[in-house]
Amino acid sequence: MAARGGFSSRLGFVLAAAGSAVGLGNIWKFPYETGENGGAAFLLIYILCTFLICYPIMVGEIAIGRRAQSDAYGSYKLLGGKSWGFLGLFGILCGVMILSFYNVVAGWAFGYFLEISFGDLLETPSFGDFFGTYVADVSDNLIFSLGFMLITAFIVAKGVKGGIEKASKIMMPMLFIILLVLIGYSLTLPNAMDGVKFYLLPDFSELNLETIYSAVGQAFFSLSLGLGGLITYGSYVEKNQNITQSATMITFMDIAVAFLAGLLIFPLVFSQGQEPAQGPGLVFIVLPGIFQAMGPILGKVIGGGFFLLLCFAALTSTISLLEIPVAYIVDQKKVARKWAVWGMALLVFLIGLPSMLSQGAVAAFSSLPFYGGKSTLDFVAEVFSDIGLPLGGFLMSIFIAHRWKLAALTDEIAQGNESYRGSFMNKYINFVISYIAPVALGLFFLVILAEKIFGFSF
Ligand code: PFF
């Protein structure tokens, strides 16, 4: 284990895994999905999905990694035989592809932070036009996303303890502090309570099948499940740690940040009489208008603070996404970590170029004829994240129930938590992995495939 590195303590692991979970998914995606899907009703379903399906899958992933002490590919291969190794490779591929577009969006957040805090972004007359021009601008995008990838690689190159764990221990508390300060401010604004009501009083009339599967996809993405990221982090966890307790803490932190991000954003939106259902532009178009209305100084402080928060959240996630293929190369190909990190970062950056150029810069990437005229970024996000992650979770539950076996899972979890054996939690996790997860995710997978690939609408 020493050669591979490892987390120094439970806190280190929990903060790093929570850092992976908390990201653009919580602060950028969750509020706009909630805004589009009936506010509190979406929040409730999201929380339900998290506990009914995702929590046991998270425990399963961590247990697989800790048992095998290897990367995603190596772990499946070791516990299931060579043919199961493909599931690890599929997860690694999803991780690389998700990082390739995630880093582009993180680059936008980085650029917004710098240009609000130190530039004149808030003097823009139209934030919609500004955002459109910004994401289509090749040089800005190149600089900021390359910058973000370099920072990510720099931290990952420093290793599990000295890089990933240390960065998470600094950034996660800062993230909570910035979030709480911003919420404190946003709740004092006029009409803030209308935003709180929209957010906390459920309107079930907006609920439909789409809401439900958006919530499942969001929960997987938000908790970083289905692609072996937690197998990788789990492989750095000591045998005497209590996995179920750590997973509970990670899950709560993830839900807390998504919940708090909504509590920050909806009062801001309602205080300016804006609509909550604004789609992906909510954070980049609507919020800057609100920061502008605060006046030049306060706008820079609160607006800059918000985008810094987004950068911290994104960075702890890009770190974990880069670690997935890096661990594979280090463990399987015996390449030194430093080379694996820089080589992989460069490769992922290059893979992300079409996504980066798909927001208006290059027409051929902006509208893919074989994918309904959608952009390359949408294509990569939908195939490798919206479909890929639940598919990975589905196959993982089958792997545990039918190949590795529930008894082996129980043995692994019981190390570090003897009272687990035979407990309610034990039965609950076994039941979800054997029945609920395969059935619900199998259905989810069919619905989403029918919609995205074959164009059905439910
Ligand atoms: N959980 C991250 C977010 O919510 O932004 C995204 C993510 C990170 C997904 C790492 C998958 C992963 F392995």
Side-chain angles (χ1 to χ4, degrees):
M1 176 135 174
R4 301 181 70 242
F7 294 111
S8 68
S9 62
R10 183 166 89 176
L11 182 71
F13 164 61
V14 168
L15 286 181
S20 168
V22 170
L24 296 170
N26 304 59
I27 301 173
W28 166 61
K29 208 156 169 253
F30 174 77
Y32 85 69
E33 296 236 20
T34 307
E36 281 180 334
N37 288 298
F42 182 80
L43 177 66
L44 265 180
I45 298 199
Y46 169 73
I47 292 180
L48 214 69
C49 281
T50 299
F51 286 103
L52 268 185
I53 303 177
C54 293
Y55 174 77
I57 292 205
M58 177 184 285
V59 171
E61 273 204 26
I62 300 172
I64 289 175
R66 193 178 69 171
R67 171 82 226 155
Q69 301 278 298
S70 187
D71 64 288
Y73 166 77
S75 294
Y76 276 118
K77 193 175 115 187
L78 200 85
L79 304 182
K82 204 164 178 161
S83 54
W84 278 99
F86 87 93
L87 184 51
L89 289 180
F90 173 71
I92 295 167
L93 174 71
C94 288
V96 165
M97 298 309 286
I98 291 175
L99 179 56
S100 77
F101 79 81
Y102 196 94
N103 184 61
V104 172
V105 182
W108 300 342
F110 190 34
Y112 264 57
F113 161 62
L114 294 177
E115 298 202 12
I116 286 183
S117 300
F118 308 107
D120 52 11
L121 193 152
L122 290 183
E123 284 157 34
T124 308
S126 157
F127 290 103
D129 292 348
F130 181 88
F131 183 63
T133 317
Y134 191 78
V135 296
D137 185 281
V138 179
S139 56
D140 271 357
N141 263 297
L142 270 180
I143 293 171
F144 294 125
S145 66
L146 186 62
F148 210 85
M149 186 62 92
L150 288 177
I151 299 173
T152 305
F154 179 76
I155 295 171
V156 177
K158 289 198 167 305
V160 179
K161 201 182 307 171
I164 300 175
E165 179 176 329
K166 204 165 158 192
S168 310
K169 277 183 168 164
I170 299 171
M171 278 189 283
M172 289 305 285
M174 292 200 23
L175 182 141
F176 272 101
I177 293 171
I178 300 178
L179 194 52
L180 291 176
V181 170
L182 292 177
I183 292 174
Y185 173 75
S186 107
L187 288 179
T188 61
L189 293 172
N191 300 328
M193 284 309 135
D194 291 344
V196 175
K197 273 191 208 141
F198 166 79
Y199 188 44
L200 297 183
L201 298 179
D203 172 6
F204 287 105
S205 67
E206 298 275 328
L207 269 194
N208 51 37
L209 193 59
E210 174 135 11
T211 320
I212 297 178
Y213 77 68
S214 301
V216 177
Q218 170 62 18
F220 260 79
F221 182 75
S222 188
L223 290 162
S224 308
L225 294 179
L227 78 175
L230 286 169
I231 294 183
T232 311
Y233 273 14
S235 75
Y236 303 130
V237 168
E238 299 277 336
K239 289 282 184 194
N240 60 4
Q241 281 191 37
N242 182 330
I243 296 179
T244 49
Q245 225 172 52
S246 298
T248 306
M249 291 196 254
I250 297 162
T251 305
F252 270 107
M253 278 198 233
D254 188 61
I255 292 181
V257 174
F259 177 76
L260 292 174
L263 203 56
L264 162 64
I265 288 174
F266 292 113
L268 283 178
V269 168
F270 278 76
S271 75
Q272 289 292 312
Q274 302 265 4
E275 266 297 303
Q278 301 267 356
L282 184 66
V283 157
F284 289 102
I285 298 171
V286 180
L287 290 190
I290 294 166
F291 299 138
Q292 184 183 51
M294 293 174 179
I297 301 200
L298 197 59
K300 267 185 192 291
V301 174
I302 303 285
F306 176 81
F307 282 99
L308 183 64
L309 168 75
L310 203 54
C311 289
F312 279 154
L315 187 55
T316 44
S317 298
T318 52
I319 288 172
S320 73
L321 282 163
L322 185 58
E323 179 62 21
I324 301 171
V326 164
Y328 165 70
I329 297 176
V330 170
D331 286 350
Q332 303 300 322
K333 311 286 173 206
K334 309 290 174 225
V335 172
R337 167 172 277 271
K338 196 172 75 183
W339 294 112
V341 168
W342 291 104
M344 219 1 126
L346 177 68
L347 180 70
V348 177
F349 182 74
L350 295 177
I351 294 176
L353 286 179
S355 291
M356 178 195 297
L357 299 173
S358 74
Q359 302 300 300
V362 175
F365 294 136
S366 304
S367 166
L368 297 177
F370 65 90
Y371 201 64
K374 288 193 185 179
S375 72
T376 310
L377 197 152
D378 285 338
F379 170 69
V380 177
E382 288 177 11
V383 171
F384 293 97
S385 176
D386 296 350
I387 301 179
L389 300 187
L391 178 61
F394 170 69
L395 294 174
M396 191 205 81
S397 56
I398 292 181
F399 168 77
I400 293 183
H402 300 285
R403 180 71 186 93
W404 190 35
K405 304 287 188 219
L406 292 168
L409 173 70
T410 303
D411 283 346
E412 185 57 34
I413 300 173
Q415 285 206 45
N417 179 14
E418 249 324 304
S419 61
Y420 175 74
R421 231 179 262 285
S423 65
F424 170 76
M425 180 68 99
N426 189 177
K427 293 185 184 121
Y428 167 66
I429 288 180
N430 286 359
F431 184 70
V432 171
I433 289 190
S434 319
Y435 304 106
I436 300 189
V439 172
L441 293 176
L443 274 177
F444 167 90
F445 178 57
L446 288 179
V447 168
I448 210 161
L449 209 63
E451 259 209 11
K452 303 253 188 235
I453 309 284
F454 300 108
F456 285 97
S457 130
F458 294 94

